[in-house]
Amino acid sequence: MAIVGGSIAGLTTAILLGQLDIEVRVFERQAPGGEPRGAGVGIDLDLLAAVTGYIDTAPPYIRLRERRVVVEGRTQAERVEIPVTAHHLLRAFLHERIAPRKIVAPAEVVGLNLHEVEPLRLAFADGHQERFDVVVGADGARSVIRAGVVGEPLLPEYAGYVLWRGLLDEAALSPEARGWLFDVPALIVAPHARQQFVAYPVPGPAGEVEPGERRLAWGWYYGIHPDRLGHELELVGRRGEDIAPAECSPAILEDLQASANPHWPPAIQEVVERSLERGSLALHPVHELAVPRLARSGAVLIGDAAHVTSPITGSGVRAAMYDALVLIRALVDLQRIDAALGVYETRRISLARALVEQGRSAGWGFRLGY
Ligand SMILES: Cc1cc2nc3c(=O)[nH]c(=O)nc-3n(C[C@H](O)[C@H](O)[C@H](O)COP(=O)(O)OP(=O)(O)OC[C@H]3O[C@@H](n4cnc5c(N)ncnc54)[C@H](O)[C@@H]3O)c2cc1C
């Protein structure tokens, strides 16, 4: 069995298959130890226990104690319990639970040849091909496996708004801002006139959770008309990554400066200013895609390859891990690949659509800002 993509969905699948002694190889385009994505993500500790088979095992995380909503200078807080980590720490945690020989990296897959009666063939960037009975496409939002499963190339579309996101060292902030943002670890949400700012503490780059060594993950959503984003959308289409401020056109950077909300608490103003000074922010034009088919002739899509939803839902990681669990449970229960993939598709496709729809509903108001 082959898994294309060694991130959240692919690694979760490999862990579960390892528990069943099923031979698997994970092909990952990124070299080991490559650039971490660095975003903050919520983690579901029960789900992690279901995947690893152990309770109380998790990557380093911070427990958010409060949800603090700031509107026009007024603050409302409610108690919550949300464990959060950073994307690269969760990924490293999953990676450690797989025998190194099962992960082939860097190895870029460029296509899937799918015949109804022959084994599946993966084509690699170095020109060689390999045959497999089952291929799991866990290769993210710009999946190359998706075209084989769906029957035509299908890519996510710009949702009409962007997310500026950043990661800032706690130590880079003034004592006042640090106190407001870190003393009670909180999910801070500041909605304002067709925009939304969110921020919360996450562990430091190597998993540090001690005061002074943590980081602040933040995101700022607002609408930008697609015509203003031509160059940036072309960049995302070509390489599928976030865009550094230096790569943005001057008009987009002017938007950023002009959109700062005068009603934000000083700590939020400071976070954006410090991040701009240090270049520790990136533009992410939000993209979405509901995929009409998840399985075909031994090939199956999971995670972002199967559904691209707006980050505003905060649910991509959880959905990717659930996809893997549902897929492997279907394989165990049915013991036949075609039947199991059919059951997986039936169970997950409406959830996948609902997830994308949830993002569309949460984000539609941002588009009214232009
Ligand atoms: C800006 C942003 C913020 C987000 N915030 C949150 C959040 O707060 N909470 C949350 O739950 N989710 C969030 N998400 C979503 C979350 O990151 C994804 O849903 C999750 O990472 C999906 O995991 P995945 O394994 O399916 O895909 P990915 O994590 O995208 O991994 C795909 C893997 O496949 C590899 N790959 C791709 N193509 C190939 C190829 N051709 N050959 C070999 N390997 C390949 C890639 O290198 C990568 O390692 C956010 C996403 C973004 C972009």
Side-chain angles (χ1 to χ4, degrees), residues 39-40 159 161-163 165 198 200 221 242 284-288 304 308-316 359 362:
Y161 62 98
V162 300
L163 165 65
R165 61 184 185 126
V198 292
Y200 53 93
Y221 295 91
D242 288 359
H284 176 79
V286 173
H287 282 65
E288 297 167 324
D304 278 13
V308 185
T309 186
S310 167
I312 202 163
T313 64
S315 53

Side-chain angles (χ1 to χ4, degrees), residues 280-301:
S280 56
L281 75 172
L283 178 75
H284 176 79
V286 173
H287 282 65
E288 297 167 324
L289 176 68
V291 179
R293 189 164 188 178
L294 302 186
R296 182 170 161 209
S297 306
V300 60
L301 302 173

Side-chain angles (χ1 to χ4, degrees), residues 19 30 45 55 64 70 78 112 134 164 194 234 254 277 286-287 314 351 358:
Q19 291 161 2
Q30 237 179 60
L45 298 175
I55 54 169
L64 305 184
V70 189
E78 58 174 358
L112 166 72
V134 179
W164 277 101
R194 314 288 176 221
E234 189 269 324
E254 281 158 24
E277 281 162 23
V286 173
H287 282 65
L351 278 165
Q358 188 193 339

Side-chain angles (χ1 to χ4, degrees), residues 45 61-66 80-84 184-186 201 209:
L45 298 175
Y61 66 88
I62 290 174
R63 211 178 268 278
L64 305 184
R65 304 284 182 189
E66 196 173 281
V80 294
E81 286 283 330
I82 308 174
V84 292
V184 177
V209 292

